[in-house]
Amino acid sequence: MASPFRISAKNLGALALPSLCPRCFWIQAHVGNKLPYQIFPGIFSSIDTYVKRVVIGSFDRHKAAPSWLADLGKLSGYRIPPHHTKFNVLVQDVTVLVSGTPDGIFVRGDGSYLIVDYKTAKFTEYQDELFPMYDAQLNAYAFIGEHSGFSPVSGLALVYTEPVTDDRAAASDAHTLSDGFSMDFSAKILPVTIDAEKTPNLCRRAREIYDLESPPEPRAGCKDCNLLENLIQIASR
Ligand code: SF4
């Protein structure tokens, strides 16, 4: 049996993007998080964490989801999403271990689970070019959930939280505080279809690329690999 290859639900989701570069995927899979220039603005994770606290706080204080999640339907409670070391599954036939931590797990009236991911981004329905990645990431959470004590998973959704930055909001005195200002966010729900085959199929593709002995050819039209090659040549003079 091949040694297990571990991959996060998010990185697995990247394989669903039409623009995926197999060479980039191979490098990332073999080098992991030691790649340079992996800086992600911390403000987005702060907002995501804040949203999670707002939602959980609503359940704890009012025994109900906040009204802006009404489009998710009736929710009777929530579960604290497990750490990725507890929320994972081995896809046996390709020995790929998929793991992750969903942003939110809610319990529906019938006892089934609804898994959500929060995105601080402009809502564009299904036009978001990253939608295939988000879709695959959420489906990976559903797949893991079914094998990790959260069965059945009956729903998936993206919750977009979009900053309200129009002129009216900017002119509102309600947003002026003594020590700064506040900003509103509007929430939009985008349902995601459950596809039980998506995760095993992507794991097969991930294994194929990972098992290549050397990185695949650069993607046609991408100049960055040539630039890197030039840099290496200049640096080695
Ligand atoms: S071709 Fe472009 S996208 Fe692919 S590995 Fe090179 S730099 Fe990355």
Side-chain angles (χ1 to χ4, degrees):
M1 185 195 280
S3 55
F5 160 43
R6 188 177 195 118
I7 188 166
S8 70
K10 185 174 181 190
N11 287 346
L12 188 73
L15 275 174
L17 289 172
S19 59
L20 174 94
C21 170
R23 184 180 177 85
C24 255
F25 183 86
W26 188 95
I27 293 169
Q28 190 164 47
H30 284 266
V31 179
N33 57 7
K34 298 186 190 72
L35 282 172
Y37 312 120
Q38 300 290 297
I39 299 164
F40 185 74
I43 188 69
F44 292 106
S45 92
S46 297
I47 295 171
D48 279 0
T49 302
Y50 184 73
V51 174
K52 289 176 205 169
R53 289 171 58 198
V54 167
V55 172
I56 285 177
S58 174
F59 275 106
D60 290 348
R61 288 192 310 279
H62 308 298
K63 308 283 176 248
S67 55
W68 46 270
L69 287 181
D71 286 353
L72 291 177
K74 180 102 181 74
L75 303 173
S76 60
Y78 70 90
R79 296 285 180 270
I80 298 289
H83 189 259
H84 65 83
T85 52
K86 301 257 169 27
F87 196 73
N88 56 58
V89 64
L90 183 68
V91 180
Q92 295 280 352
D93 61 330
V94 283
T95 36
V96 171
L97 185 76
V98 191
S99 63
T101 301
D103 284 344
I105 302 179
F106 300 120
V107 185
R108 287 177 148 163
D110 62 1
S112 67
Y113 296 95
L114 172 78
I115 298 178
V116 301
D117 213 44
Y118 302 119
K119 300 290 176 204
T120 306
K122 198 167 175 53
F123 179 70
T124 57
E125 297 214 1
Y126 298 98
Q127 304 307 310
D128 188 334
E129 62 178 22
L130 296 179
F131 177 75
M133 181 170 81
Y134 300 154
D135 175 355
Q137 181 182 359
L138 271 171
N139 266 288
Y141 291 149
F143 190 81
I144 299 168
E146 291 287 353
H147 296 84
S148 306
F150 293 91
S151 180
V153 176
S154 63
L156 298 172
L158 288 165
V159 179
Y160 283 84
T161 52
E162 183 180 332
V164 179
T165 57
D166 58 28
D167 289 345
R168 199 163 63 92
S172 167
D173 288 338
H175 294 143
T176 302
L177 311 174
S178 61
D179 56 350
F181 61 90
S182 63
M183 182 189 281
D184 293 337
F185 284 79
S186 74
K188 302 262 179 11
I189 312 286
L190 191 64
V192 168
T193 305
I194 296 176
D195 177 353
E197 290 305 311
K198 190 162 279 190
T199 300
N201 287 339
L202 288 173
C203 284
R204 263 170 229 123
R205 178 80 179 118
R207 187 87 226 185
E208 274 170 22
I209 300 174
Y210 181 78
D211 282 350
L212 294 172
E213 286 187 3
S214 56
E217 288 300 305
R219 188 177 61 196
C222 178
K223 300 189 181 89
D224 290 343
C225 265
N226 285 338
L227 289 172
L228 177 63
E229 202 53 47
N230 291 343
L231 276 174
I232 292 170
Q233 282 181 11
I234 290 166
S236 58
R237 275 183 197 159

